[in-house]
Every structure is written in structure tokens, then in C-alpha cells.
Amino acid sequence: MAFFRGSFKLESSPMRYLFTLILLLISTACLAQSRLQWTVSERTPTAQANMLRAAATDASGNTYTIQNTQDATSFWLIDRFFAYDVHGNKRWEIVNDSCFSGCQAIYHLVVPVDNDGAIFLGGYDDSLMNRDFRLRRYNLDGTLRWQQDWAYPYMSVRPLIARFSPNGSLVVAMVNEVNPVDGDDFALAAFDTTNGTLLWDISIPDQGPVGVNLFETITDMEIDAAGTIICTGNGGNGLAAIIRNYYFSVSPAGSLNWIRFSNGNLIPSSTSRLELDGLGYFYRSHGQNGQLWLQKLDVATGSNVWSLPYTHDSASIAPVDLAFDGANPYLLFNYRYWIPDSSFSGGHWTNFDYSVYKYDTAGVSVFRRDYLSDLDSLAVQNGTGGAVQIGACGGDFYVLSRHALDSERTVLAINSFDTSGTVRWIDTTRMVMEPGGMTLDAECNVYLSRSDWLSGNYVTTVVQQFSDRLPTSLGEYGAETLNIFPNPTTGIIRVTGLFPDWMQVTDLSGREVYAIAHTDQLDLGALPEGIYLLRLQFGDRSHCSLVVKNGHRR
């Protein structure tokens, strides 16, 4: 397969030699540097929006997504379920009811059952417009195992988090509305995973002061080996200027063991997180009285073992996430600085960078590291960027972060670190809308799911897998079958011989400048003249080639 077809003049032998050397080095580096294994994207051809509602990956690497679409002509809405195996091959697609407004079935969560399908959770309006809680369990091959509706005794409920209990039941943390005056309350329910029937539910009465109703929501939930449920969350009333951070315990049978809270929080508590250590304790990150804290607490009583405040010199900090590797908690937060200047506002914020603090079980610091991304050196300093999520696996940890290259372009970075906090590798992908979510399977493969614009103005959903291993090349036979032309080009490039799932174009610094999915053609007409690196993805195999952009398309 020839890399270039057409006229591209290299006037001297040294120039030809240099160009050939660059071609070989960069084409080899394409696979050596990137940890992207595969990319899949889904866009309904007649839909003007394909928004990702939820995604989850099981320990075996099966990924399930919920996509909400809207038809460009009728404006009807529909939820679709997708399943992919560990290699990115689509297992199945399920199309649910469609409607113009007030959809009968709207799904919010998906919970994989390891290598045995998944349970999808949402709401359902019956023929009398009564709102029910709906559960659907699908097998690994996409067949429906069961469907169950729960006619809950509240005005409304919405699932937030779901975890499996050691006894096999599914525990769902929800926000419910008992009545218009009381507002939202903490609520949980447990369901039998063999048939979806309700085992128990609990609504915790409003915890606000007398005469003040709080709007309460659960932000994280874990279940220990005995089936005890630990939750953290927040409650607030803006008119009364009250914000509270809560943590509480619920028994395996659904009764409240204890509940505790802290007052006077001036830090947003929507990022309050918790992790169990498996030894009768849990770690919790939260804000209190304008200060950020990491706590170790007793599962049985909720009593405090130790509390550590954390700061970052004069920077403004924001809590992000908490992870536990089986021995140590990792605290993730963003920080930025206010820089005075002569502008009308008197200054500007630097972009967010992030820190990871690692502690031992006694609360002693193992390391505190700042990660200043080189990507931010290209960015306008306007307070954007920062870490999004952290996960631990196999003694290492992974951070998902976002970085604004300029006012229009943002990249996502998947950062891999060893147990000492040293960077192992960093890979990047594009972000146009939201960063989405990161999950890890048992082999420490990283899965990134999000909504994005990849072709025209249409929104699509994207799932990508990154790994410690280097991606597999297309192979000799596939490379010989593939044709990429014209090259050089003034704009349009076509791919024949094989149909790519994903195409990505980067400049020689590695910065993405173009990406598109499920097409055999790309248009580089808007790019400046120069040499670019084209990466093609075919399932779990990749191919790289240099392309030359000459002039402007006539």
C-alpha cells in the first residue's frame, strides 16, 4: 500500500531522506505512543441528538450504554440500549418506546451483571399516567430475562446509584419526593435480581431544622461484605441558607442504623465521596465550614477515627473524587489561582490543575503530588480544565482530566500512574461536550464513554477502550488491502478496501485536529498546509499513515 498518491515535490535527496525518516518515526510512534485500543460510536441516521444517559462496564470488559435520541423531523424521543464486548464488537441494540413528550419509559442507570447481561433502571408511565419504577434485565445475548414495574408510594423517584449486595440483591439509592412541601428526601430500595420484585424500600424523613425543609440527595453509596449500606449526601435550602453534609447507614433488611451530619458547609458537597476498606471502616471526602476534609469512620457507629483537612497553599481548591486501592485512599482535587491584572474584573483565574494525595490507613501522608499538564501551556488561562474522576486498579491509579487548548477545542486526557504517583503513560482524545465517565475492568482496561460531535452538527455517543498494552496493528494483509487517497490532498481523503469505525487526524505534536466515525471519507479542507498523522480504527486494530495537506480546496 502506497502512503502517497499524487504530486508532492521534495526537491533534494536530503529532503527526501529527511521526509522518509519522519514518516517512519512518526508512523511507528502512532502505535507506540497511543494506548487507544478501539472506538465505537452510535448515531441514529435520522436523529438530531444522540445523548449518552448512562454507561457501565463489568469486570469482564462488557460495556453497556443508554442512548437518548431525538428524531430530526418528528422530534420524537427514544431510549436505546447498546452492548459491546471487551474488543468493542457490538453485541446487541435494543430500541425502546418512542414518544413526542412525557415518554412512557425513560431510563437513567445501567448495572452490569458480570458476564451475564445487565439491568436497566428507569421510570415508566402507565395508561393512567401513574409513574412507576421500571427494571429490565437483559441476558448477555440481548434477550429479555425479565421486566418489573414498582408502583412506588411517592410523588416521584429517580435512581441515582445502584450496587449489588452480597446476597445478590440490587440496592438502588434514589431521590424521592414525598410531597411538594417536604421536597426531596433520601431513599433506597432493594430488588431481587432473579425476577425484579421489590424486597424493601426506605424513605428517610427530612433531616432539616424544625420548620425548614431540605432538598436532600445521595452522592455516593457502598455496601460492605455483611450487606450494610453506607451512603453520603447533602441537603440544602437556599432560602434558609442551610447546607448540610450527611452520611448514614442502612441495614441489609432496609432499616436505618444511624445518620450523622455536619453543618455550615460552604464547599459544594455534590462531590462528597466514600470508599470502604473491607475492615469495618470507610473513608469519606467532603466539605465543612469552608474547608475540605478526608475522614476515616467506623461502619458500625459512624464515629470518627480521624479527620484531615487539606489545602493547597493560596490556591482555590475544589473536591473531585476519592479512590481506594485495597490499602490506601487516594484523594483527588482541582486547584487554581487568581491572577490580578489590569482588566475590568481586576484579574483572571488560571486553568485548573489537579493534585492527588495518598494516605495510609492511619492518616499519614504517603505522597502529595501536583500534576501540571503540558496541555495547558497552549490554553487561554480562563479557569477551565481540571480532573474529572479517579480510579484504582492493580496497584496503579488512573485519572480522567480535561484541558482547554483554546476557546473552541478541549481534549480529554487519560492519565496512568504507578503506586508512587509517577506517570506511566498519558493518552488524549477529543471532547466537545461533556467529559463523560471512566470505568475500569478486572484487567485494568480503561473505558471512556461520552457524548460528542463527530460528523456535521449531529451528536453521537462514543465508547473507547484504553489499555496498558500497545494497540494491535492492522496486520500485513489488512494494510495491503487498504487504500488512502488522494495523498497529498487539498481536502477530501477517501479510504477503500476496509471500512473504518473511527478516523482521527493529529498534527505532528500529537494534538487532535479532526475526528469522524463510521464513514470512509474525511475533509481536511479547513486545515492549514502541512503534514498530519491519520489514525484509522478497525474494531480492536489500528492503522496509521501520514497525510499531506497541500494548499486550499478549490
Side-chain angles (χ1 to χ4, degrees):
M1 186 273 295
F3 277 107
F4 299 102
R5 295 184 179 183
S7 59
F8 179 70
K9 295 182 179 180
L10 295 173
E11 299 296 341
S12 63
S13 294
M15 285 295 293
R16 286 196 296 270
Y17 174 79
L18 178 62
F19 184 79
T20 302
L21 181 61
I22 293 173
L23 184 150
L24 291 173
L25 290 175
I26 296 180
S27 295
T28 303
C30 175
L31 290 178
Q33 293 177 358
S34 178
R35 302 295 175 144
L36 176 64
Q37 303 298 315
W38 50 259
T39 300
V40 294
S41 66
E42 301 290 350
R43 181 175 71 83
T44 306
T46 59
Q48 65 178 355
N50 300 262
M51 303 298 294
L52 183 73
R53 280 194 188 273
T57 302
D58 67 15
S60 300
N62 298 296
T63 299
Y64 302 88
T65 66
I66 302 174
Q67 181 194 77
N68 181 253
T69 67
Q70 184 177 45
D71 188 271
T73 303
S74 68
F75 302 109
W76 279 40
L77 302 169
I78 188 169
D79 279 352
R80 286 176 165 84
F81 304 156
F82 295 90
Y84 310 95
D85 67 16
V86 69
H87 302 295
N89 301 307
K90 186 192 291 186
R91 289 189 180 275
W92 43 261
E93 173 184 349
I94 305 295
V95 180
N96 289 283
D97 301 328
S98 61
C99 62
F100 181 73
S101 64
C103 285
Q104 283 187 298
I106 300 176
Y107 293 87
H108 303 280
L109 284 181
V110 56
V111 188
V113 185
D114 189 33
N115 221 27
D116 194 20
I119 301 174
F120 294 80
L121 310 175
Y124 177 76
D125 285 330
D126 64 18
S127 58
L128 300 177
M129 297 305 291
N130 296 312
R131 192 74 176 164
D132 294 339
F133 187 83
R134 168 162 286 187
L135 303 91
R136 278 186 176 180
R137 180 169 180 178
Y138 288 91
N139 296 316
L140 193 62
D141 63 2
T143 56
L144 180 65
R145 183 177 301 189
W146 51 256
Q147 175 178 296
Q148 190 69 250
D149 293 335
W150 170 41
Y152 50 78
Y154 314 111
M155 290 184 61
S156 66
V157 301
R158 182 168 60 88
L160 301 172
I161 307 163
R163 301 276 190 268
F164 288 111
S165 179
N167 65 12
S169 63
L170 181 67
V171 179
V172 183
M174 306 175 292
V175 57
N176 74 335
E177 185 179 7
V178 178
N179 57 68
V181 176
D182 193 35
D184 297 335
D185 288 336
F186 300 128
L188 295 98
F191 299 90
D192 188 326
T193 54
T194 63
N195 54 28
T197 56
L198 178 71
L199 299 175
W200 55 259
D201 73 285
I202 179 175
S203 178
I204 300 174
D206 195 299
Q207 298 295 306
V210 176
V212 178
N213 297 309
L214 302 184
F215 291 84
E216 298 155 332
T217 186
I218 296 169
T219 58
D220 205 357
M221 176 181 70
E222 297 292 344
I223 305 174
D224 71 8
T228 301
I229 303 156
I230 304 294
C231 295
T232 185
N234 61 277
N237 185 311
L239 295 178
I242 293 176
I243 302 175
R244 286 182 172 179
N245 276 321
Y246 289 92
Y247 49 107
F248 58 91
S249 169
V250 173
S251 75
S255 60
L256 182 65
N257 292 326
W258 51 259
I259 184 167
R260 297 177 183 272
F261 66 88
S262 56
N263 273 318
N265 174 41
L266 302 179
I267 301 292
S269 54
S270 60
T271 51
S272 177
R273 296 289 184 263
L274 65 85
E275 291 283 345
L276 297 170
D277 72 352
L279 300 173
Y281 301 97
F282 66 99
Y283 299 93
R284 175 174 173 261
S285 62
H286 71 289
Q288 179 180 340
N289 296 324
Q291 174 70 61
L292 302 183
W293 294 81
L294 176 65
Q295 290 180 289
K296 182 177 181 179
L297 303 119
D298 185 272
V299 168
T301 63
S303 58
N304 184 66
V305 178
W306 50 255
S307 296
L308 296 173
Y310 57 99
T311 59
H312 193 289
D313 51 56
S314 63
S316 171
I317 61 178
V320 177
D321 203 1
L322 182 66
F324 186 72
D325 66 1
N328 305 93
Y330 294 80
L331 184 66
L332 175 67
F333 66 91
N334 292 325
Y335 67 93
R336 61 179 178 173
Y337 297 93
W338 177 255
I339 307 299
D341 59 29
S342 58
S343 65
F344 177 78
S345 60
H348 66 276
W349 287 108
T350 63
N351 287 345
F352 275 114
D353 290 303
Y354 66 92
S355 289
V356 177
Y357 286 7
K358 179 180 179 179
Y359 297 92
D360 66 14
T361 56
V364 177
S365 175
V366 178
F367 69 73
R368 295 187 175 192
R369 291 207 174 185
D370 298 336
Y371 297 98
L372 308 173
S373 172
D374 292 337
L375 295 171
D376 274 340
S377 65
L378 302 173
V380 176
Q381 297 296 304
N382 57 5
T384 59
V388 177
Q389 193 176 348
I390 189 171
C393 183
D396 303 317
F397 66 96
Y398 302 81
V399 173
L400 175 64
S401 59
R402 54 184 170 185
H403 307 270
L405 298 180
D406 53 38
S407 60
E408 296 181 353
R409 294 174 298 168
T410 302
V411 297
L412 289 174
I414 297 89
N415 310 266
S416 173
F417 306 91
D418 65 19
T419 188
S420 67
T422 302
V423 177
R424 299 169 65 243
W425 53 263
I426 298 176
D427 208 343
T428 59
T429 188
R430 65 183 259 138
M431 186 192 98
V432 178
M433 301 182 69
E434 293 298 321
M438 176 183 71
T439 56
L440 297 160
D441 66 17
E443 300 298 321
C444 301
N445 297 310
V446 181
Y447 298 83
L448 184 60
S449 305
R450 67 194 186 281
S451 300
D452 207 346
W453 277 298
L454 290 180
S455 54
N457 292 321
Y458 288 91
V459 178
T460 187
T461 59
V462 178
V463 179
Q464 295 175 300
Q465 185 201 69
F466 297 82
S467 176
D468 289 340
R469 68 183 186 278
L470 295 177
T472 306
S473 66
L474 189 57
E476 182 178 349
Y477 173 77
E480 288 299 321
T481 306
L482 190 65
N483 288 303
I484 302 169
F485 67 94
N487 194 4
T489 181
T490 58
I492 300 296
I493 288 181
R494 293 179 174 84
V495 178
T496 63
L498 294 172
F499 191 83
D501 298 312
W502 170 275
M503 292 191 283
Q504 179 192 51
V505 179
T506 63
D507 61 22
L508 297 189
S509 71
R511 183 175 60 181
E512 182 182 285
V513 295
Y514 189 93
I516 196 168
H518 297 308
T519 181
D520 57 2
Q521 178 175 300
L522 64 159
D523 187 353
L524 307 183
L527 298 181
E529 290 186 348
I531 301 172
Y532 296 91
L533 188 60
L534 172 63
R535 178 191 176 96
L536 307 176
Q537 198 78 32
F538 305 89
D540 61 351
R541 294 180 180 267
S542 301
H543 180 79
C544 294
S545 177
L546 288 179
V547 295
V548 176
K549 169 68 188 312
N550 278 346
H552 297 283
R553 186 177 60 233
R554 295 183 176 87

